[in-house]
Amino acid sequence: MIDRRTLIRGSLGAAVALFAGRHGVVRISEAAVPSADEQLARLLQRLAEQHLRASPEEATRLGYDTSVNAALRSQLDDRSLEAIGLQRQRVASALADLRRIDRDALSASSRLDYDVASFVYTTLDDQLARYGFTDINLRPSPYIVSQMNGAYYWLPGFLGSQHPLQSRDDLDSYFARLHALARVIDQETERIRHDAAKGVVLPNFVLHTTLAQIETLRKTPPEQTAMIGPAITRAEAAGLGDIRSRAQQVFTQMIVPALSRQIAALQALKSQAGDKAGVWALPEGEEYYGSALRSNTTTSMSAARLHQLGLDLVADLTAQLDRELRALGYSSGSVAERIGMLDREPRFRVSDDDAGRTRLLSAARQAVDSMRALLPKGFRTIPDEPLEVRRVPPAIESGAPGGFYDSGGPGEPASFSLNLKSPSQMPLWRLRTLAHHEGLPGHHLQHAVLKAAGELSLFRRLVRFSAYTEGWALYAERVADELGAYREDPFGQIGLLQSELFRAARIVVDTGLHHKRWTRDQAVQWMVDHAGEHPVPARREVDRYCVYPGQACSFMVGATAIRAAREDARRILGARFDIRDFHDLVLRSGPVPLEVLEGLVRRWSATASA
């Protein structure tokens, strides 16, 4: 396969030749007339650097906060209303600059970069004109602060575990950021009031959970918080001394008052908070949902079409599960009831205590380790990147999903975190698939390959699309099965099918909430009846869909699109198709909208078959 950098070099020469052919003899040097590829590369580099200067947190995560950019290490992102206005101006300017580049003059690889950038900035331009929160990941929320969003939710772990702590300068920067946390919490509090004045208020049940989580953080002893506890340990290990007293002082005198002000602002909204779960109940809610679906699925599928797709997938996966369960001797009751029987079987349950938590963490680590040995069957690029399996911080586990992946900061390992609030609600037969999704060959392999793909520009390393990233992780669950992960684990294979059923049900429930105007209770019961979910985690999931409209659709839409692209390539290439090459193409190309991915795979298949 031809290296992408070789393609770029060749395309640059072709672009120069094409320019000369169209316009005759050029009397100035070629160097003075940058090609369209060069213009785009320079623009995207400038936009990427502009974004990182405006997002010091992202700069730290990418190791960009060094040398001339070292000052970024002591800052946090500006979350003020004024900052949103400046971001809108930058996005409008970026779109104008993109449109000045002739897309038809670009090489194939540069057109890929152009299309990605065009999608990102067109979507941001739309979303920044709306209320709520969005960022370059294009995962909007109508609410600035919720049980799954806000500085109180995201920044403690970042400060305690991802901020570098190797030198005195790092330590000074840590305390500068710790002080700044109070300011950004206040900035979000101002935006809560601003949006509430427009009629944008959390549903009452989400407001209740959010307040409980912020109050938990406020009353947690400083040394036990995610922002200070790990930092104390890391600073001591680096020989920077005992920072406990200084950190406690900042937390008590600055952060706690800011949290109290945010709690007061949210409590003041209780009388306005209703029980409507869907975004349709908010100002211009239907339009907001259409925008959220577009950004999350990176397709133009309507809510009605997505709802039907979800119903069709649920019916198909339910039939598959029925056959597999009957083969294992489970034939009585609905599929959801039989899944419930599996959940209650003592052999699959762990105790609701620290011993149960330890057992789950051990089983997850074993699943990750055993998959490493199978990866060469399906992948060519297999970076040796460590992965830690850990517990979700207790302070946020009430609103957190069952598990999530974090790529880690510079010098810090990536992590797969399990929500162990109630370990008995995570049966062992479900766990292996979750480990494949968040770890290998899912998010962790995805991140590691992208990190190793040196030919990708800085801009392309920045952008994320839920349909691609989550779609890959769900697709990877089935790849794990194809590689032999469940060969001697039939109940684990039931877990794979149930995971897919769960993601299909998410499409139905998300569109049900936001398009068909289901209530929260309707949505929870649908998950219980059709996906075999426990009521408590189902309620937590539904509450997640309430604050991130459309994001739940991205998993199955993405996985289905990747699988369809693979089968199209297999049909075109026949015996020449190699799954390892396909996976290299998808992963090394980096995150792209699904519509762009489909075109990429078609061009690759046509070239490889020629």
Side-chain angles (χ1 to χ4, degrees), residues 31 127 173 178 186 207 265 296 312 318 326 370 487 500 516 525 598:
Q127 291 177 352
S173 295
L178 203 60
D186 282 338
L207 180 60
N296 278 296
D312 293 343
T318 299
R326 288 180 183 278
S370 62
R487 186 166 293 132
E500 292 186 339
K516 290 188 170 292
Q525 194 60 48
E598 291 164 0

Side-chain angles (χ1 to χ4, degrees), residues 267-478:
Q267 286 176 332
L269 300 178
K270 284 184 176 180
S271 62
Q272 296 175 243
D275 61 358
K276 303 295 189 296
V279 73
W280 60 267
L282 300 179
E284 298 180 352
E286 292 183 1
E287 293 82 356
Y288 187 102
Y289 189 47
S291 174
L293 284 177
R294 171 67 175 161
S295 64
N296 278 296
T297 69
T298 65
T299 72
S300 300
M301 295 178 70
S302 67
R305 183 181 168 196
L306 281 166
H307 191 79
Q308 187 59 51
L309 172 65
L311 290 172
D312 293 343
L313 288 167
V314 166
D316 179 59
L317 288 161
T318 299
Q320 291 183 52
L321 271 165
D322 179 50
R323 291 192 296 270
E324 296 294 331
L325 286 166
R326 288 180 183 278
L328 292 170
Y330 294 81
S331 57
S332 178
S334 68
V335 164
E337 289 169 342
R338 282 174 273 169
I339 288 173
M341 291 171 58
L342 283 182
D343 285 341
R344 292 187 294 273
E345 285 198 23
R347 58 176 164 164
F348 297 125
R349 289 173 65 91
V350 302
S351 53
D352 239 344
D353 52 21
D354 284 343
R357 295 183 179 96
T358 298
R359 189 177 173 192
L360 287 171
L361 289 170
S362 177
R365 292 180 184 120
Q366 184 178 4
V368 170
D369 291 342
S370 62
M371 176 48 60
R372 286 189 188 276
L374 298 175
L375 290 178
K377 295 181 180 179
F379 300 89
R380 293 199 187 279
T381 304
I382 309 174
D384 185 18
E385 290 280 339
L387 175 67
E388 287 189 359
V389 180
R390 59 176 67 151
R391 180 182 180 181
V392 170
I396 63 170
E397 61 189 5
S398 292
F404 60 81
Y405 175 76
D406 190 311
S407 59
E412 296 293 326
S415 62
F416 158 33
S417 297
L418 280 169
N419 191 330
L420 301 180
K421 180 179 176 65
S422 302
S424 64
Q425 293 180 6
M426 187 174 287
L428 289 166
W429 65 271
R430 296 174 182 251
L431 187 60
R432 182 187 290 272
T433 296
L434 181 59
H436 294 323
H437 182 101
E438 305 294 348
L440 299 173
H443 284 314
H444 184 54
L445 182 64
Q446 182 182 51
H447 168 75
V449 172
L450 179 61
K451 183 178 176 181
E455 64 267 25
L456 281 184
S457 68
L458 178 61
F459 177 83
R460 291 292 312 287
R461 290 171 183 271
L462 284 176
V463 297
R464 297 288 184 272
F465 305 97
S466 284
Y468 173 92
T469 55
E470 297 297 353
W472 170 266
L474 182 57
Y475 165 82
E477 295 177 16
R478 185 62 70 108

